[in-house]
Amino acid sequence: MYTSSDRLGRWYAALTPLTRPHARIADNLADLRDPKGVGHPLWASAAASLTIAAAAALVLAVLSAAL
């Protein structure tokens, strides 16, 4: 389900470019366990950070291998 605000009540459009995907990933992960809850559980926020870091590392590895 698409919403224009995250579980903390912030508008996605008002978030910075790096905060926006973090909030979306953390929201989706938190919804797996408790769809009606509010706030970001620590595990969902940590998993979102690790996902973004892994994606950045993968892009860096591909770019460095291509050069």
Side-chain angles (χ1 to χ4, degrees):
M1 181 174 161
Y2 177 76
T3 59
S4 57
S5 63
D6 69 352
R7 292 170 67 99
L8 299 176
R10 302 174 297 187
W11 291 99
Y12 285 121
L15 299 176
T16 62
L18 186 58
T19 308
R20 190 175 304 129
H22 179 273
R24 282 218 186 255
I25 293 169
D27 286 347
N28 290 333
L29 289 173
D31 283 344
L32 291 175
R33 181 178 281 176
D34 184 15
K36 297 192 186 292
V38 294
H40 294 195
L42 182 59
W43 65 270
S45 185
S49 297
L50 287 174
T51 302
I52 291 172
L58 181 65
V59 167
L60 184 61
V62 167
L63 287 177
S64 63
L67 298 175

